[in-house]
Amino acid sequence: MMLQKCQWPMKKTIEIKKDEKGFGTLYVNDEPFLILGGELHNSSSSNLQYMEKQVWPRLKELNLNTVLLPVAWENIEKEEGVYDFSLLEELIFQARREKMKLILLWFGLWKNGESTYVPGWVKRDSGRFFRARYKGGELSQTISPLCKNAVKADARAFTVFMKKLKDIDAESQTVLMVQVENEIGFLKSDRDYSKEAEKQFRSNIPEELEKIYGISGTWSEVFQSDAAEMFMAWNYAQAVEYIAAAGKRAYELPMYVNAWLNQFPDRPGNYPSGGPIARNKKIWRNIAKSIDVFAPDIYLSDFEGVCKEYATEGNPLFIPEARRDPVTASNAFYAFGKYGAIGFSPFGIEGLMEDTRQKQDKELLEQLQIDVLAFTSIETGKYLKETYKILKNMQKLYFRFKGTENIHAFMCRNEHERGTIVSLSGCDLELTYRPKGNERPGCAGMIIEENESEFWAVGYNTDIRLLPKKSSHDCITIICLEEGFFDNGKWSSGRVLNGDERSMSGFGQYAEVRHYIYCKETTDE
Ligand code: N0T
């Protein structure tokens, strides 16, 4: 007879823990999890057949482990108080079958500044669910964040949704996180000019803000030229807090909000006013306390600048949406290597194997002064799948050193930069960036030092040379340089690169891994 081992059922948890550096890591049952993600186009997950035919097969070869997809309020509560979760349940089944984790995007009251995903009964009743107005009183498509009825209705639906999620998924843990709303804020205006908003904007700032900022007065007195945006940030952050807190009481999953960043020209309304952009972080962090992560959607070319802005003061870096051109494949290494990101996820992932250069509405994007490339896939998937494959297989090594001085990252910021020096404990690395066009990933990568005579390097379009440390005259000698790959954490070496192959052993347009062993001889006088 088999003896059954008596075990306590393990408590299942999904949480983000922070280290001393402030870097966050997502833990699933105390195991670190690296989100190698991709976000679907907005409408893909509204139909199961479409998912079967057009989406899942295309995701297979990309080496993702997580898919970000929307759950629309209009779909789960078509009639007030009547809920239907059949689509959600099927999506979760499909994901499990595909061995994929999910991050669900709650498209509730606000999606890209507007209220296009609210149910018809909310849209039709603009008395009960009043809209934000532009200056002069013109109506918008955005339900005002000052509308308490609307916030309560959203919170109620969100709570029922989270409860359902707990019922069907707490055991399997297919869903890792939930995004609350999408790129929140008010578009085409610096603030809401509805009657209610006008009244509040003229009054003194709320007590809570007085405490946070240590100053009192009207919005304009306190925040001057930023008053309109701060006013919106306060109202949106409060609404989000109400909704997220209610949802968390039903099911305690990590939650985040994502930001449409302030791009040129930097005026609120040109991007959604009041969203969680860096400038508004004080309000957002103090008010929306149930939110675990404030996350940037990075379409701007200054990838490094944005990462830096967000990975501060204990805010873990998570990039739920990223550019679609090949540079995204190299940016991922940088986000994980330099800022210990918990995850990375290009937008429109099911289309990343295509070349969409001709399909872009170039004129429109140019008119809006938006970088066309940011929305263009030039078969980006064929590069991204290499990045993800490498990261997936070397994550054990990565997590072993995450948050320590042993991890370094490099990235070429513009075409004038020729290279950089990365300082290791035993030597310096001279990294020279290779010229490359828009069709390729950027020059970027990551170095992990195993000890003072051994390191791993991964990256794209960069040459590596070992130098003595600045002002020293040490003689640095390579003992062994191998190409190869990690297979589920275990190094499997390929050719030993020596002779001709050693002098031209840099990284090319597809990501590669190298293992270096070297020694240092001190030149004593
Ligand atoms: C994103 C996506 C989707 C260079 C646009 C980005 C997604 C939403 N919005 O394809 O609609 O649901 O979150 C807006 C970025 C515009 C500014 C780019 C400046």
Side-chain angles (χ1 to χ4, degrees):
M1 204 181 83
M2 284 267 286
L3 208 65
Q4 285 256 299
K5 236 204 224 159
C6 172
Q7 260 182 348
W8 288 108
M10 196 183 61
K11 190 166 181 293
K12 299 227 159 174
T13 51
I14 301 177
E15 57 192 331
I16 295 169
K17 293 184 200 162
K18 291 173 195 167
D19 62 24
E20 306 93 68
K21 254 195 174 175
F23 285 171
T25 300
L26 180 73
Y27 284 86
V28 180
N29 305 324
D30 294 321
E31 285 287 325
F33 188 94
L34 200 63
I35 300 168
L36 305 172
E39 180 166 326
L40 299 186
H41 282 292
N42 298 158
S43 312
S44 303
S45 63
S46 66
N47 183 278
L48 292 166
Q49 285 71 40
Y50 187 88
M51 287 294 291
E52 292 292 19
K53 290 212 177 78
Q54 304 292 338
V55 180
W56 294 117
R58 295 184 181 194
L59 302 188
K60 272 234 154 66
E61 51 180 324
L62 284 172
N63 297 315
L64 313 180
N65 60 19
T66 308
V67 180
L68 284 71
L69 58 84
V71 174
W73 183 10
E74 65 175 351
N75 182 284
I76 66 158
E77 196 184 359
K78 289 199 179 85
E79 217 183 293
E80 185 166 8
V82 183
Y83 298 93
D84 176 1
F85 291 104
S86 47
L87 177 63
L88 174 72
E89 284 184 77
E90 288 300 326
L91 287 167
I92 292 179
F93 289 143
Q94 289 186 349
R96 285 179 193 157
R97 183 197 65 206
E98 300 292 320
K99 303 203 166 37
M100 211 67 96
K101 296 286 186 188
L102 293 177
I103 290 175
L104 300 178
L105 320 175
W106 174 245
F107 283 13
L109 269 173
W110 301 290
K111 152 82 173 77
N112 296 34
E114 298 191 318
S115 303
T116 47
Y117 283 83
V118 303
W121 54 270
V122 175
K123 285 182 184 156
R124 284 192 204 99
D125 197 348
S126 65
R128 189 168 145 214
F129 305 112
F130 69 84
R131 310 261 184 95
R133 287 176 189 263
Y134 303 117
K135 198 170 169 81
E138 197 196 325
L139 268 179
S140 76
Q141 304 273 15
T142 304
I143 290 173
S144 169
L146 284 81
C147 178
K148 293 220 166 69
N149 287 333
V151 175
K152 277 192 189 142
D154 180 317
R156 188 171 76 148
F158 186 62
T159 308
V160 179
F161 154 66
M162 290 303 290
K163 212 178 264 156
K164 180 76 189 174
L165 211 52
K166 185 177 183 176
D167 287 348
I168 60 176
D169 197 56
E171 196 47 42
S172 311
Q173 299 178 307
T174 305
V175 179
L176 300 176
M177 295 208 279
V178 172
Q179 176 187 296
V180 186
E181 312 296 339
N182 186 77
E183 293 191 339
I184 205 165
F186 192 35
L187 268 176
K188 291 180 265 180
S189 173
D190 57 352
R191 69 171 171 88
D192 180 2
Y193 290 85
S194 65
K195 237 196 268 147
E196 187 58 36
E198 285 295 83
K199 200 174 94 202
Q200 282 196 24
F201 188 73
R202 273 180 198 64
S203 342
N204 280 357
I205 62 166
E207 239 173 75
E208 254 175 290
L209 289 189
E210 284 180 2
K211 271 195 219 126
I212 296 166
Y213 286 91
I215 172 172
S216 57
T218 65
W219 287 90
S220 301
E221 283 163 359
V222 174
F223 296 113
Q224 310 199 0
S225 65
D226 286 330
E229 186 168 17
M230 294 307 250
F231 176 73
M232 294 313 279
W234 155 257
N235 281 292
Y236 279 116
Q238 278 218 112
V240 161
E241 177 55 20
Y242 186 87
I243 295 162
K248 272 203 170 174
R249 281 194 292 273
Y251 184 24
E252 174 95 37
L253 271 191
M255 291 187 187
Y256 71 94
V257 285
N258 63 331
W260 170 335
L261 301 173
N262 40 323
Q263 84 271 9
F264 181 83
D266 189 355
R267 284 279 190 278
N270 183 34
Y271 57 88
S273 177
I277 60 167
R279 189 164 48 227
N280 304 337
K281 71 178 168 205
K282 198 164 174 184
I283 280 200
W284 272 94
R285 287 193 192 183
N286 279 290
I287 304 302
K289 289 233 159 60
S290 301
I291 295 300
D292 302 274
V293 180
F294 297 94
D297 292 347
I298 316 185
Y299 295 89
L300 301 172
S301 48
D302 184 13
F303 184 79
E304 126 105 331
V306 175
C307 289
K308 206 176 189 168
E309 251 179 358
Y310 275 81
T312 56
E313 298 153 44
N315 184 54
L317 183 63
F318 176 54
I319 303 165
E321 291 182 41
R323 294 170 71 97
R324 296 167 50 75
D325 55 331
V327 81
T328 221
S330 46
N331 285 349
F333 278 137
Y334 194 74
F336 287 115
K338 175 91 179 189
Y339 294 104
I342 64 173
F344 184 82
S345 159
F347 182 78
I349 192 74
E350 68 274 52
L352 280 199
M353 280 297 185
E354 290 161 42
D355 188 332
T356 61
R357 253 174 299 194
Q358 310 311 325
K359 289 193 205 154
Q360 291 309 312
D361 196 340
K362 265 190 154 176
E363 244 167 76
L364 182 75
L365 289 170
E366 268 159 21
Q367 243 175 44
L368 295 169
Q369 312 201 34
I370 286 171
D371 177 1
V372 181
L373 267 177
F375 291 90
T376 309
S377 160
I378 309 171
E379 296 175 42
T380 299
K382 70 182 184 196
Y383 304 109
L384 184 73
K385 71 177 193 185
E386 298 301 321
T387 300
Y388 277 2
K389 188 174 175 190
I390 289 173
L391 286 169
K392 190 174 179 174
N393 281 297
M394 71 185 288
Q395 57 179 305
K396 274 200 190 114
L397 178 73
Y398 172 74
F399 280 127
R400 188 146 61 86
F401 290 110
K402 183 174 176 179
T404 71
E405 304 297 314
N406 293 45
I407 300 199
H408 310 261
F410 57 92
M411 179 168 86
C412 178
R413 274 152 270 236
N414 60 61
E415 70 272 26
H416 308 295
E417 218 181 340
R418 290 191 46 206
T420 190
I421 300 275
V422 165
S423 194
L424 305 187
S425 46
C427 70
D428 279 352
L429 299 184
E430 176 195 80
L431 304 171
T432 308
Y433 300 141
R434 291 184 179 178
K436 53 128 229 136
N438 290 334
E439 319 235 327
R440 295 185 177 185
C443 310
M446 178 159 86
I447 313 282
I448 302 183
E449 272 189 279
E450 184 70 52
N451 52 52
E452 70 279 346
S453 61
E454 186 180 350
F455 66 90
W456 310 90
V458 293
Y460 286 101
N461 296 316
T462 306
D463 290 303
I464 300 187
R465 225 155 55 100
L466 278 61
L467 303 176
K469 293 196 81 70
K470 190 176 173 189
S471 87
S472 94
H473 297 278
D474 296 342
C475 178
I476 306 291
T477 308
I478 292 179
I479 296 174
C480 182
L481 165 55
E482 293 169 337
E483 62 180 8
F485 57 92
F486 282 95
D487 183 9
N488 196 17
K490 238 188 115 243
W491 176 244
S492 171
S493 52
R495 289 178 304 166
V496 174
L497 301 178
N498 209 341
D500 293 353
E501 280 69 44
R502 179 167 297 176
S503 47
M504 298 182 290
S505 69
F507 302 125
Q509 63 170 312
Y510 292 101
E512 287 168 275
V513 192
R514 304 254 192 266
H515 181 210
Y516 283 81
I517 299 176
Y518 66 99
C519 69
K520 174 177 88 174
E521 206 53 50
T522 311
T523 322
D524 277 328
E525 288 301 297

